[in-house]
Amino acid sequence: MNSRNFSTKRINGIIVLISSLMMLVVLNLPFKAKPFGDITFHEESKNLALFIKGKIPYDQVVITKAPGPILFYTPAYLLAPSNATDDQLWVYGVVFTTIIITISLLLIFRIGTSLFSKEVGILSVLFFFLFPIHCYYSLGIMAEAPAFFSSTLAIYGWSIALHQPDKKSGWIFMILGMWFLILNRPNTLLLLGLGFLVVFYAFFKNKSFFLSYGKKMMVSFVCVGLLGSGILQLAKIITGTKSGGNQETLFYYVAHQGRFQFREEPTDFRFWESDIRPDSKDYQNWNKSGAALSAVMDQTHQSYVDVYKKFLTDDALEHPGLFIRQFFVKCFYGHVYFINSVQPNQFDLGPLKGPIGYWIFILLINSINLIIVAGAVLFLFREKNLIRYWIFWGIIISLLIFHGLTYMEPRYIFPSRVALYLMSAAGLYRISWIQKIINKISFHMFPNRIKADFNQ
């Protein structure tokens, strides 16, 4: 840790300014995230806000998917007039999201500074400006932004607890962050399992770590589990029988999609929608399988869950090679980005036009992205005390395992980019020429700074 007293006013101001400018730039790009995602989080947040205002009855309030985004967007919608249109609510939601994402970037700088050095903190934030995917996802009413903030808060809490294990605020921030991350991405419950394994390992192999953090980590994980399960159960009670959708059926629906994703077309990275890949063999086979399973339900009167569970189990056992190959292709796919909202022949971004401009742009953004991934890999290979960074690789592994086994989209991995960029910055800062560049930038931001002695 580099514990130094220096003013962060300049870097805070720069982060806020550049973040605001980047949001404006991304807002005016010819391609955008869907304003309301799959509409579910928007509609359910709007209804909850209207119910709280006394404008609609309770029977219109449902939480059919993860409750986190509903808790995130409802306060913003409460500030809007009761008769606000969907477009007006979108503005309230995006302004609120922009503020939260900017706060997240400020915290990311503090995490990098606390765990490594101010130079690593600066490089971490620079990555977000070089590849502003956080701005892109902030322009939609989706789970990505609240999950990103949750991940940031959890890691920020650990950065405090790691150096001051007796300070309650660190553990509280970590608990709140992990809890809200699970509410936004219930599949990150796997992080709790990995956390318990870390404590178990430390008990036998790293006594000093266990004595400092083990018991507090165990208590934190239990608190997160109880809080998370409590809210998830409350969401089920609120929804009751008012909606046919629930988390369990959604899981099996998504897992069924995943059994056909990259099955016969391992290089087809187009988005999984009928208007984007109607000619896709995998997509067509998924539709045929869904129709066949519906026929089984009609004939046998078995439940949706029972029929889909049997298919998923049998298919994985019958095609283990496909299952393994699909897993690794999905993990790769989660870290690359393609533009699906604009066709290559319609692409128009400054001097980049048409299919050639489209593929140049795709190559550029993915080159930056893959360099960042390489930096994180470098950190993991060269860092000798990886247990200190369990929450970093724990979040990444949790998301990759779940979505590698089920269905993958790059946005599902987005919350792990907080950990990825911080590890990458720490890894790439070890390279001398990168270190020199970042040191010069740091000198201008902190002209009176004490020279940092980054622990290689």
Side-chain angles (χ1 to χ4, degrees), residues 254-451:
V254 169
H256 180 246
Q257 277 184 309
R259 290 309 310 126
F260 292 90
Q261 189 182 29
F262 305 120
R263 189 183 182 101
E264 296 184 49
E265 301 167 320
T267 59
D268 191 342
F269 290 169
R270 288 178 294 172
F271 190 62
W272 198 264
E273 279 191 0
S274 59
D275 58 338
I276 292 177
R277 53 189 303 164
D279 58 333
S280 164
K281 185 182 294 185
D282 282 343
Y283 190 87
Q284 293 169 357
N285 289 338
W286 169 65
N287 277 325
K288 291 176 184 177
S289 176
L293 294 178
S294 293
V296 171
M297 285 186 282
D298 291 338
Q299 294 168 6
T300 64
H301 303 291
Q302 291 178 285
S303 70
Y304 180 98
V305 170
D306 289 339
V307 171
Y308 273 71
K309 183 188 294 184
K310 185 177 188 306
F311 169 82
L312 293 170
T313 303
D314 292 346
D315 188 69
L317 293 175
E318 291 169 9
H319 305 94
L322 276 176
F323 190 84
I324 294 170
R325 189 188 71 182
Q326 285 174 282
F327 175 84
F328 287 105
V329 174
K330 289 175 192 176
C331 289
F332 173 77
Y333 174 60
H335 289 94
V336 294
Y337 286 85
F338 294 87
I339 299 169
N340 292 286
S341 58
V342 176
Q343 294 300 314
N345 60 343
Q346 300 172 331
F347 188 79
D348 186 357
L349 183 62
L352 302 177
K353 301 180 186 297
I356 294 177
Y358 173 88
W359 288 111
I360 289 174
F361 184 74
I362 293 299
L363 179 62
L364 176 63
I365 62 174
N366 281 299
S367 296
I368 296 171
N369 191 39
L370 292 176
I371 288 171
I372 292 172
V373 173
V377 173
L378 176 64
F379 171 81
L380 291 172
F381 272 102
R382 296 188 62 179
E383 175 58 46
K384 297 179 180 178
N385 199 7
L386 283 177
I387 196 171
R388 287 166 53 91
Y389 306 102
W390 67 271
I391 196 168
F392 287 76
W393 48 261
I395 292 173
I396 295 172
I397 290 174
S398 298
L399 289 170
L400 285 179
I401 288 177
F402 182 86
H403 292 292
L405 295 175
T406 56
Y407 172 76
M408 176 69 79
E409 289 181 20
R411 64 190 179 99
Y412 294 157
I413 306 299
F414 176 62
S416 69
R417 291 200 162 263
V418 180
L420 183 71
Y421 284 24
L422 283 161
M423 288 195 300
S424 181
L428 293 177
Y429 187 70
R430 298 170 187 264
I431 300 174
S432 59
W433 66 270
I434 293 179
Q435 189 174 123
K436 290 178 181 178
I437 294 173
I438 300 303
N439 285 347
K440 287 182 180 179
I441 295 173
S442 178
F443 178 81
H444 292 292
M445 289 186 178
F446 308 104
N448 298 318
R449 81 196 193 292
I450 301 174
K451 185 178 180 182

Side-chain angles (χ1 to χ4, degrees), residues 67-68 71 146 150-151 153-154 171-186 188-189 191-192 220-232 234:
L71 298 176
S150 307
S151 182
L153 190 63
W171 299 105
I172 292 173
F173 282 133
M174 191 184 81
I175 290 170
L176 291 175
M178 291 179 65
W179 167 66
F180 199 47
L181 179 60
I182 289 170
L183 294 188
N184 287 287
R185 287 273 179 248
T188 49
L189 274 168
L191 179 60
L192 295 181
S220 297
F221 299 153
V222 170
C223 289
V224 171
L226 292 175
L227 288 169
S229 61
I231 296 297
L232 291 172
L234 179 61

Side-chain angles (χ1 to χ4, degrees), residues 46-273:
K46 178 174 69 173
N47 286 347
L48 180 57
L50 290 174
F51 167 72
I52 293 173
K53 292 179 178 181
K55 300 297 181 180
I56 63 172
Y58 174 71
D59 59 12
Q60 293 186 37
V61 178
V62 296
I63 303 176
T64 55
K65 294 184 177 180
I70 313 302
L71 298 176
F72 183 83
Y73 290 110
T74 297
Y77 286 3
L78 284 170
L79 298 175
S82 298
N83 61 348
T85 64
D86 286 340
D87 288 341
Q88 289 172 326
L89 289 173
W90 177 83
V91 172
Y92 276 84
V94 167
V95 170
F96 178 68
T97 300
T98 300
I99 294 170
I100 294 298
I101 289 294
T102 303
I103 292 172
S104 298
L105 294 181
L106 296 174
L107 292 178
I108 287 168
F109 170 73
R110 282 161 174 74
I111 295 167
T113 299
S114 173
L115 295 181
F116 306 106
S117 69
K118 66 172 73 67
E119 287 78 11
V120 171
I122 290 171
L123 184 55
S124 302
V125 176
L126 281 177
F127 284 155
F128 284 100
F129 294 144
L130 285 172
F131 185 55
I133 192 66
H134 62 291
C135 297
Y136 180 84
Y137 287 134
S138 296
L139 298 176
I141 307 302
M142 303 182 291
E144 280 60 54
F148 180 87
F149 171 69
S150 307
S151 182
T152 304
L153 190 63
I155 297 174
Y156 176 67
W158 174 247
S159 73
I160 296 173
L162 182 63
H163 298 297
Q164 302 178 70
D166 293 327
K167 193 172 182 178
K168 293 180 181 179
S169 62
W171 299 105
I172 292 173
F173 282 133
M174 191 184 81
I175 290 170
L176 291 175
M178 291 179 65
W179 167 66
F180 199 47
L181 179 60
I182 289 170
L183 294 188
N184 287 287
R185 287 273 179 248
N187 42 67
T188 49
L189 274 168
L190 289 171
L191 179 60
L192 295 181
L194 288 174
F196 281 116
L197 287 177
V198 167
V199 175
F200 183 76
Y201 168 84
F203 180 78
F204 291 101
K205 298 291 185 178
N206 195 328
K207 283 293 184 181
S208 62
F209 184 92
F210 179 81
L211 292 174
S212 297
Y213 313 107
K215 293 179 181 179
K216 294 181 177 67
M217 287 174 65
M218 294 283 282
V219 171
S220 297
F221 299 153
V222 170
C223 289
V224 171
L226 292 175
L227 288 169
S229 61
I231 296 297
L232 291 172
Q233 288 300 318
L234 179 61
K236 289 183 180 180
I237 293 172
I238 290 173
T239 302
T241 58
K242 292 181 283 186
S243 172
N246 57 57
Q247 286 287 331
E248 189 175 23
T249 56
L250 177 63
F251 167 79
Y252 285 106
Y253 176 85
V254 169
H256 180 246
Q257 277 184 309
R259 290 309 310 126
F260 292 90
Q261 189 182 29
F262 305 120
R263 189 183 182 101
E264 296 184 49
E265 301 167 320
T267 59
D268 191 342
F269 290 169
R270 288 178 294 172
F271 190 62
W272 198 264
E273 279 191 0

